[in-house]
């Protein structure tokens, strides 16, 4: 297993990332989502809690050049399910599962990478089931860099192990062309039972110039009660 600070400090720009797992004591489900940015438009964001959900918001409305790929709901709670994504597909997946009675995997067939050539940022999505307690991480990206075709991968984790989590992010490395994340989600060690310690560990490990916002949530698997943290660089 990789340590969170080791994997995050090894790359200056992993882009946007989702972590899901279980605390070492086995009591709390763990969710984390962060965003980074290199352009002024991407960096001009903050996370805002919206009830049990989370949304992005422009930090300075006057500087927004294109809201289509930066303003969305990253976290949405639908009953016993929590959906986490890096774009507008959060609501799309929820609606397809609710209204069309599709599975998570079926809903992902309508999801493609972002229309931001030449990078074509992957869309990463995840869902956690708090009743059976399992989670799935997914990525939709170009087929080997060819935007004429979309490749979709889903990784399912049932009966998660205490002290263990999985991490998927948008970019494989911080080269100029930002190649897509490749391979299975990284297996991480969840080293603490305390949300503030985990939040601080992730935030301080992200590149200081590129990090923008971080959201973390611990959910008690017995009671369903949760606590969340939001950290914004520009607030």
């Amino acid at each position: 297993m990789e340590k969170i600070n080791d994997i995050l400090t090894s790359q200056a720009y992993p882009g946007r990332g989702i972590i899901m797992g279980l605390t070492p004591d086995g009591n709390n489900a763990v969710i984390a989502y962060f965003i980074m940015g290199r352009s002024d438009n991407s960096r001009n964001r903050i996370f805002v809690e919206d009830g049990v959900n989370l949304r992005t918001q422009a930090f300075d409305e006057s500087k927004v050049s294109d809201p289509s790929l930066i303003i969305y709901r990253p976290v949405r709670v639908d009953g016993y399910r929590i959906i986490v994504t890096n774009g507008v597909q959060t609501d799309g997946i929820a609606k397809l599962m609710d209204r069309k009675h599709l599975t998570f995997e079926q809903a992902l067939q309508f999801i493609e990478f972002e229309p931001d050539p030449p990078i074509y940022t992957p869309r990463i999505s995840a869902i956690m089931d708090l009743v059976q307690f399992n989670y799935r991480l997914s990525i939709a990206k170009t087929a080997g860099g060819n935007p004429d075709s979309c490749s979709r991968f889903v990784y399912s984790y049932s009966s998660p192990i205490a002290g263990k989590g999985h991490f998927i992010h948008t970019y494989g490395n911080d080269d100029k062309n930002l190649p897509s994340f490749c391979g299975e989600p990284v297996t991480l060690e969840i080293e603490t039972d305390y949300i503030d310690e985990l939040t601080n560990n992730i935030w301080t490990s992200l590149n200081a110039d590129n990090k923008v916002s971080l959201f973390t949530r611990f959910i008690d698997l017995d009671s369903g009660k949760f606590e969340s943290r939001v950290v914004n660089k520009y607030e």
Side-chain angles (χ1 to χ4, degrees), residues 59-72:
F59 176 61
D60 185 342
E61 296 282 355
S62 67
K63 294 181 178 180
V64 176
S65 58
D66 179 8
S68 63
L69 295 178
I70 67 167
I71 303 301
Y72 57 93

Side-chain angles (χ1 to χ4, degrees), residues 197-217:
E197 186 175 349
L198 178 73
T199 303
N200 183 68
N201 191 20
I202 297 174
W203 185 249
T204 56
S205 298
L206 292 169
N207 180 271
D209 293 328
N210 297 322
K211 64 184 177 182
V212 175
S213 295
L214 168 66
F215 168 84
T216 58
R217 176 169 291 175

Side-chain angles (χ1 to χ4, degrees), residues 1 18 23 28 31 59 66 70 92 104 107 117 121 130 138 161 170 176 190 195-196 226:
M1 290 189 291
I18 300 172
T23 52
N28 289 282
I31 294 174
F59 176 61
D66 179 8
I70 67 167
F104 179 65
T121 298
L130 292 173
S138 73
I161 299 171
T170 52
K176 180 180 179 181
I190 305 295
I195 188 171
D196 288 322
F226 66 87

Side-chain angles (χ1 to χ4, degrees), residues 40 51 56 61 68 83 150 160 177-178 205 217 221:
D40 290 340
T56 63
E61 296 282 355
S68 63
I83 300 171
C150 181
N177 294 327
L178 293 177
S205 298
R217 176 169 291 175
L221 293 175

Side-chain angles (χ1 to χ4, degrees), residues 4 22-25 28 30 163 189-199 201 218:
I4 291 175
L22 183 62
T23 52
D25 61 13
N28 289 282
V30 174
E189 180 181 0
I190 305 295
E191 302 175 77
T192 178
D193 295 316
Y194 301 98
I195 188 171
D196 288 322
E197 186 175 349
L198 178 73
T199 303
N201 191 20
F218 277 22

